[in-house]
Amino acid sequence: MAKKHENADGTLRSLSNRHVQMIAIGGTIGTGLFLGSGSTISATGPSVILIYAFMGVFFFFMLRALGEMFYSDPNHHTFVSFITKYLGPAAGNFAGWSYWIGLLFACMAELTAVGTYFQYWFPHAPLWLVELIFLGALTLLNLTAARLFGETEFWFAMIKIIAIISMILTGVFLVATHAKTPVGYASLASLTKNFKLAPNGTYAFFTAFPMVFFSFAGIEFVTITIGEAEDPHQVIKKAVNETLLRILIFYIGTLTVIMCVVPWWSVSASSSPFVQVFQLAGFATAASVLNFVVLTSAASALNSTIFSAGRHFFQLAQEAKKGSWLKKKFAKIAPNGVPARGIAISVLFALIAPILSFSNTAIEVFSMVAGATSDIFILVYVLALLAHRKYRKSSDFMEDGFKMPFYQVTSPLTIAFFLVIFFSLFFVKANIFGASLATAWAVFFGSFCYFHQRVKDKRAGK
């Protein structure tokens, strides 16, 4: 007898609306807001707010496209499966394997970050041991039940929200009292004084776009929870629609307050503006508290990546050739409703990170390759948007569904915007290697997937 809320493939719909909403918030807010916002502010000044708003709108449109497809068929575990369904198995294989490999590198990067933040308090703790302990604990959570993953993410996200709201309230208090600081006075005038759209030149302004883009990467993770959400139709609407509001509050609200307290030309590119605001308010332990926040933020990202990578590998196994080793071994769900084998194989590859911690050269190479995999995500997003266009022309299209607003205009604009971001990477010195590697991967692996599928189709007489 089937369990309550059990999917046909054996997974359980155990994630409540509360879990999914907080996972959505967690996916929206990354460590980049806490640590990396200083570099974007120092590069572009107040116009960084316009960049975040502009970028946020396009990510919102992408989520609405994904949300529309999930609303029509919430039984999919990953948005990549829609690429297979509407663009064909060759595109699906390219996107699926590319995205999964990208998730592995993201997993290793977050694992390294967790270990580094932990060493802030315990500098002599072996990095590899710290990484193994965190990876083991979060893997155990993911293997136990999807609901336990959701509960963990709920509290991880709560910590980030408390930190942001605390910073905003502290900043508002400093502005309201016109507090004197070492760099002037906290005031709304600090935001607009000496305002220029590109204060450090056009090049610095446009290099901020890729930086902001990657701070939003991972926002699509919320859609991966839909296959295991208790009420998918209600959840997907709420999670996606509130994304734009979260961007306005958490990103734009935070950046506005920071620049009112610390004039934008005084914001340090190398330190966290959060710490600067709290220290100006007299909190001596601000750096230590922020380290705790970014540690939980990195752990949250690691937790979500393990969850996502496991589901993606399970999806790849499900779509594999009937009778293949991949399908036989990994297209299975454990009795507790999780794709345990998909999670296990993903975590096994993530163990490369602790091994790399013994060599500085290996870490440098890993960082460059990890950057390239992030670039590949852009291409996968574009394929997902193209799949959505095919969905619109298919018999699956729901006229009364959760439709992408102003589709005729927003769909091609979003695709064009993502492609512009990808090609802009070739004009930013720090991103040229990653963009070149991502392009080489797309050309060679994409060609392999295409010709491999043609051979399969020919053998099958298609």
Side-chain angles (χ1 to χ4, degrees):
M1 185 178 175
K3 299 174 186 175
K4 187 182 178 183
H5 302 308
E6 183 177 354
N7 291 318
D9 59 16
T11 52
L12 303 177
R13 292 194 173 275
S14 55
L15 294 174
S16 68
N17 181 61
R18 172 176 68 94
H19 292 136
V20 176
Q21 297 311 315
M22 291 303 263
I23 290 166
I25 291 172
T28 307
I29 310 165
T31 52
L33 178 63
F34 300 106
L35 295 177
S37 51
S39 60
T40 51
I41 291 172
S42 63
T44 64
S47 57
V48 71
I49 293 172
L50 301 176
I51 297 174
Y52 268 96
F54 190 66
M55 197 74 70
V57 167
F58 281 107
F59 268 94
F60 171 72
F61 287 141
M62 182 188 76
L63 280 183
R64 282 297 299 258
L66 299 182
E68 182 176 351
M69 291 188 289
F70 273 106
Y71 191 87
S72 70
D73 188 356
N75 294 313
H76 291 257
H77 287 287
T78 77
F79 69 89
V80 172
S81 62
F82 290 111
I83 296 174
T84 304
K85 184 174 182 180
Y86 295 114
L87 298 184
N93 270 326
F94 170 78
W97 286 107
S98 298
Y99 196 80
W100 181 70
I101 291 168
L103 288 173
L104 293 185
F105 277 100
C107 188
M108 289 186 276
E110 296 297 348
L111 187 57
T112 303
V114 165
T116 304
Y117 298 142
F118 188 82
Q119 284 184 322
Y120 176 86
W121 296 301
F122 303 98
H124 301 297
L127 186 60
W128 64 269
L129 182 60
V130 175
E131 290 174 355
L132 281 179
I133 291 170
F134 271 92
L135 184 62
L138 294 178
T139 300
L140 190 61
L141 284 173
N142 273 274
L143 288 173
T144 303
R147 191 173 186 86
L148 194 55
F149 156 79
E151 199 63 40
T152 308
E153 277 303 287
F154 177 88
W155 292 106
F156 277 155
M158 186 67 77
I159 290 168
K160 289 191 272 191
I161 291 168
I162 290 170
I164 290 170
I165 292 175
S166 299
M167 199 284 298
I168 290 175
L169 292 177
T170 301
V172 168
F173 172 76
L174 292 173
V175 170
T177 57
H178 203 53
K180 190 178 187 311
T181 71
V183 290
Y185 288 90
S187 167
L188 285 171
S190 298
L191 186 65
T192 55
K193 188 178 179 182
N194 301 328
F195 175 77
K196 290 180 182 178
L197 186 66
N200 294 312
T202 307
Y203 178 77
F205 177 76
F206 283 106
T207 57
F209 276 83
M211 292 166 67
V212 174
F213 182 93
F214 290 119
S215 71
F216 282 121
I219 202 171
E220 75 281 359
F221 278 9
V222 64
T223 62
I224 296 164
T225 65
I226 300 307
E228 291 163 75
E230 288 175 353
D231 187 353
H233 286 123
Q234 179 191 345
V235 160
I236 190 65
K237 277 188 173 183
K238 192 171 175 62
V240 171
N241 279 338
E242 291 182 2
T243 297
L244 197 57
L245 183 63
R246 294 184 192 109
I247 290 166
L248 289 171
I249 294 172
F250 295 125
Y251 280 96
I252 296 174
T254 297
L255 294 170
T256 300
V257 168
I258 287 170
M259 286 183 282
C260 285
V261 176
V262 186
W264 62 266
W265 58 87
S266 299
V267 173
S268 170
S270 57
S271 63
S272 168
F274 272 71
V275 172
Q276 293 178 61
V277 171
F278 281 127
Q279 285 178 339
L280 289 174
F283 294 106
T285 59
S288 189
V289 170
L290 184 76
N291 190 71
F292 172 72
V293 174
V294 294
L295 173 62
T296 56
S297 184
S300 166
L302 175 60
N303 195 31
S304 292
T305 308
I306 292 171
F307 178 91
S308 183
R311 270 72 186 168
H312 270 88
F313 198 84
F314 170 70
Q315 190 74 42
L316 285 167
Q318 274 197 320
E319 293 174 358
K321 184 181 176 183
K322 189 176 181 181
S324 67
W325 175 82
L326 187 65
K327 196 174 189 74
K328 284 180 181 177
K329 294 290 183 182
F330 294 99
K332 294 181 179 180
I333 293 294
N336 61 349
V338 300
R341 294 186 180 188
I343 292 170
I345 192 70
S346 301
V347 169
L348 189 64
F349 278 99
L351 287 172
I352 294 170
I355 296 169
L356 291 178
S357 66
F358 290 102
S359 167
N360 289 330
T361 305
I363 290 173
E364 289 173 10
V365 173
F366 162 74
S367 298
M368 289 191 293
V369 176
T373 59
S374 298
D375 298 345
I376 292 169
F377 279 7
I378 304 176
L379 301 178
V380 176
Y381 294 159
V382 170
L383 286 173
L385 288 162
L386 291 173
H388 173 253
R389 293 182 67 79
K390 285 282 189 180
Y391 156 78
R392 275 291 184 119
K393 296 172 183 175
S394 73
S395 58
D396 299 331
F397 173 57
M398 292 176 64
E399 185 59 49
D400 59 345
F402 180 50
K403 294 193 292 185
M404 182 184 189
F406 311 110
Y407 159 78
Q408 296 294 347
V409 176
T410 56
S411 174
L413 272 181
T414 306
I415 292 169
F417 179 72
F418 281 1
L419 288 174
V420 167
I421 290 293
F422 183 82
F423 288 114
S424 73
L425 297 173
F426 289 96
F427 299 94
V428 181
K429 190 176 180 180
N431 292 327
I432 291 174
F433 175 82
S436 301
L437 198 59
T439 303
W441 170 265
V443 170
F444 291 107
F445 184 60
S447 299
F448 169 79
C449 291
Y450 173 74
F451 288 112
H452 179 66
Q453 189 59 43
R454 284 198 66 177
V455 170
K456 283 176 69 176
D457 290 346
K458 196 171 182 180
R459 286 175 180 171
K462 293 183 181 179

